Amino acid sequence: MSDPESQPLLPKVPSVEETSSTTALLNSQPATREDNQASTPRFLPVIAVIPTLAYFCGIIITITLISVLVIIILGNTTRIRIIEKIIGHNLPPHCDITGIEVHLKSLDGIAATHGNRAVGAGHEASADYVVSQLSGLTGYFGKSFHITKQYFDVPVWKENRSPKVSISGGWTIELINGIDVRSMRYGGPSAVINNAIITHVPSGGCDDSNFDDFPSGSVALIKAGEGCDPWIASHSAEKSGAIAVAFYNPSRFKSLLGSRVRIVEWKKDDPLMGIPVLSLSHSVGEFLKTVLETSFISIDVDNTLEVVETFNVFADTIRGNPDEIVIVGSHLDGVPEGPGLVDNGSEINNHYFSGSSAVLEVAIQLHKTGIINKWGAEEIGLLGSRHYVRDLLANQPDEFAKIVLSINHDMLGSPNGIPYILDGYSAPEAVRNQSLAISEIYKSYWNFTHPVNAKNFIPEIYELRPMIAGSDFLPFVSNGIPTSGLETGAGELVTREQADNHKTRKVIANAAHDPCYHQKCDGISNVNRDLIEELTKLVAHAVEVFGRKDDLRNHLVLIGSEIAAKVSKDRGYKMEIERTR
């Protein structure tokens, strides 16, 4: 939250024209030697009084005391200038790997104790750790955070063993798990089905009319990718009397479907599948279509599907303007498969471990400024952030209207990672300009701290990534909240072009950003320490800028409009390099 009593006067960035109105927010870079010299005269009367303190305690303590005295003498405007230069821009360097690693090791230990940090005991222990780290923090005016939990129900599905599926008709074919068949996530609880008939459903089962003549008690065979969500077709099949659903791939699909068969924004009392839902290969599906009249299918699945209670963790700053709320988010839960130190120990999640540790360390270092939210149930469909937004809109719309922006940090320490800034231009039109202004804060600080030298040295660059899906920014930006954030990549492969552009990071082409994404090997040795330290400082800078700025909402509108006017609408999302190599 911004301080209602402050009007920051930010240090100057040489690359921004003085005549531009964007200077007020973008000129929030670390103080240079020249900046400090320019402000020295303000300290001269005080320096003469305390030379002995400088001798014994060092210049850092002296300058801090000077700033306090000048605050008293010169008033509010000078106070903010001094704090901005001395405290604000000296803090990000303190968000280093030492503090982050403490959190990573603690979360790794929690995962070892509980098996993972997924919804349940592992997530609860992770939350207890976060609360223990933040609850004791105090600032100049007392306690820093008001910590609360928001409870909500979520469905949790677990495959206890691989499905056993066979087809018979005077012969028997046992399907191979992972090649011919797999269970789809949230595809029902345990069930045993023997020698059931198979019925092909036309048009992908996207309309209830596709099931008008469906024989109750049979297994629905449906071609995937026909234009509707698997949940719609599966639920219609169950309502029509199907005892199981088997989606088979079109020829263009090379991998078995792993989609969630569930309402995307599931909430308490919404339905869940009560019958098995399987994914079949294209060849198996086409074969079954030729033997429908003469063959039977047997299915044996062992799954657990239950609704449990979990929670979000909120650490709200006690001081600040209650009418301008900044959401600094990362998810705390993980996946059942592993400890989740990159996804999102860096974020606080079972697998997004790197994001949580980064945000937690920023909260500790900048605890007079930020608002920290730790989302639960991200790994099972962003259900924590979706619940928060839905609940505010339904029950506290005035409170929702106070949210100025949301920044999200998901996986900041991928071992083969690249610095990705979530591109404000990809936001819906209603909040595009403001989202551009947010991403500009990340970009300007990155450019300032990664300059190009006179010998045409290839700089460390960032890439822009569109905000389409996959993390907790989505419920906010989809509901009119300006949004941006940081990522370093998950299971997607690095291209040759990317590897060439990031040679100094030794990024490997045709390898995943995180080869251990959602796997057991996502432990502490999987974290890219250099990258997470870099991006944690970037998070700290953004939190500080937003937290200290009065009238932040109007500033985002003004600055975003100027930036939008300069952005090419057809630039795509490959890479933006704003400097000459």
Side-chain angles (χ1 to χ4, degrees), residues 335-559:
V335 295
E337 288 80 4
L341 269 277
V342 170
D343 182 11
N344 189 30
S346 45
E347 221 193 337
I348 295 190
N349 180 306
N350 188 19
H351 230 264
Y352 290 99
F353 205 38
S354 52
S356 280
S357 295
V359 171
L360 178 56
E361 183 62 16
V362 168
I364 291 171
Q365 296 295 340
L366 298 178
H367 58 91
K368 302 177 185 66
T369 314
I371 301 170
I372 308 300
N373 293 342
K374 296 297 184 184
W375 305 119
E378 190 269 0
E379 293 290 8
I380 54 176
L382 319 181
L383 294 184
S385 53
R386 292 185 193 277
H387 174 80
Y388 173 73
V389 170
R390 182 173 56 244
D391 183 68
L392 279 184
L393 286 172
N395 301 312
Q396 302 180 67
D398 292 341
E399 195 68 19
F400 183 80
K402 295 176 183 179
I403 301 176
V404 179
L405 64 89
S406 171
I407 50 178
N408 191 65
H409 310 96
D410 195 340
M411 298 183 67
L412 302 189
S414 298
N416 198 35
I418 289 172
Y420 288 110
I421 296 175
L422 298 182
D423 190 1
Y425 192 79
S426 63
E429 186 174 357
V431 292
R432 182 172 299 155
N433 291 358
Q434 299 97 307
S435 297
L436 277 169
I438 299 169
S439 52
E440 190 69 23
I441 292 298
Y442 290 112
K443 290 156 58 178
S444 62
Y445 185 78
W446 182 273
N447 290 342
F448 190 87
T449 54
H450 296 77
V452 183
N453 65 25
K455 297 181 180 179
N456 293 321
F457 173 74
I458 297 178
E460 293 287 359
I461 57 178
Y462 58 81
E463 296 190 21
L464 295 175
R465 172 165 283 192
M467 293 185 286
I468 297 174
S471 196
D472 288 305
F473 60 77
L474 190 61
F476 293 94
V477 74
S478 300
N479 286 279
I481 301 298
T483 305
S484 184
L486 301 172
E487 298 177 357
T488 58
E492 67 275 27
L493 299 182
V494 174
T495 66
R496 170 55 61 188
E497 180 185 9
Q498 288 178 313
D500 290 342
N501 285 320
H502 296 272
K503 287 181 180 178
T504 55
R505 292 191 183 280
K506 300 180 180 179
V507 176
I508 302 172
N510 301 316
H513 286 303
D514 181 9
C516 289
Y517 177 66
H518 285 190
Q519 296 182 47
K520 187 176 182 179
C521 57
D522 186 14
I524 197 164
S525 62
N526 192 45
V527 177
N528 185 329
R529 286 162 170 75
D530 291 338
L531 187 54
I532 189 176
E533 183 176 43
E534 264 185 298
L535 294 191
T536 300
K537 293 177 181 179
L538 189 52
V539 174
H541 172 73
V543 171
E544 180 194 17
V545 170
F546 297 136
R548 292 190 183 277
K549 190 64 184 174
D550 273 358
D551 200 16
L552 179 58
R553 194 184 305 272
N554 287 332
H555 275 284
L556 293 181
V557 172
L558 177 64
I559 293 166

Side-chain angles (χ1 to χ4, degrees), residues 98-114 116-117 122 125-130 132-133 332 339-341 345 348 353 357 360 364 524:
T98 303
I100 299 166
E101 201 160 40
V102 169
H103 309 314
L104 289 171
K105 288 179 179 178
S106 296
L107 293 174
D108 192 38
I110 289 170
T113 300
H114 298 281
N116 57 48
R117 296 188 309 105
S126 299
D128 289 342
Y129 174 74
V130 171
S132 71
Q133 294 296 299
L332 180 58
L341 269 277
I348 295 190
F353 205 38
S357 295
L360 178 56
I364 291 171
I524 197 164

Side-chain angles (χ1 to χ4, degrees), residues 292-351:
L292 290 176
E293 302 297 327
T294 60
S295 62
F296 303 91
I297 189 169
S298 297
I299 300 170
D300 183 354
V301 294
D302 184 3
N303 305 322
T304 301
L305 178 59
E306 59 183 344
V307 175
V308 302
E309 186 179 67
T310 187
F311 53 86
N312 295 317
V313 178
F314 302 125
D316 297 318
T317 52
I318 301 236
R319 298 185 67 236
N321 184 351
D323 294 323
E324 288 198 334
I325 298 174
V326 175
I327 301 292
V328 183
S330 63
H331 68 99
L332 180 58
D333 69 311
V335 295
E337 288 80 4
L341 269 277
V342 170
D343 182 11
N344 189 30
S346 45
E347 221 193 337
I348 295 190
N349 180 306
N350 188 19
H351 230 264

Side-chain angles (χ1 to χ4, degrees), residues 263-311:
I263 295 172
V264 173
E265 297 194 24
W266 189 94
K267 60 184 182 300
K268 186 178 180 179
D269 297 327
D270 279 346
L272 294 165
M273 290 303 302
I275 59 176
V277 183
L278 304 173
S279 173
L280 304 177
S281 68
H282 174 70
S283 58
V284 171
E286 291 296 330
F287 170 72
L288 285 175
K289 286 169 60 179
T290 66
V291 296
L292 290 176
E293 302 297 327
T294 60
S295 62
F296 303 91
I297 189 169
S298 297
I299 300 170
D300 183 354
V301 294
D302 184 3
N303 305 322
T304 301
L305 178 59
E306 59 183 344
V307 175
V308 302
E309 186 179 67
T310 187
F311 53 86

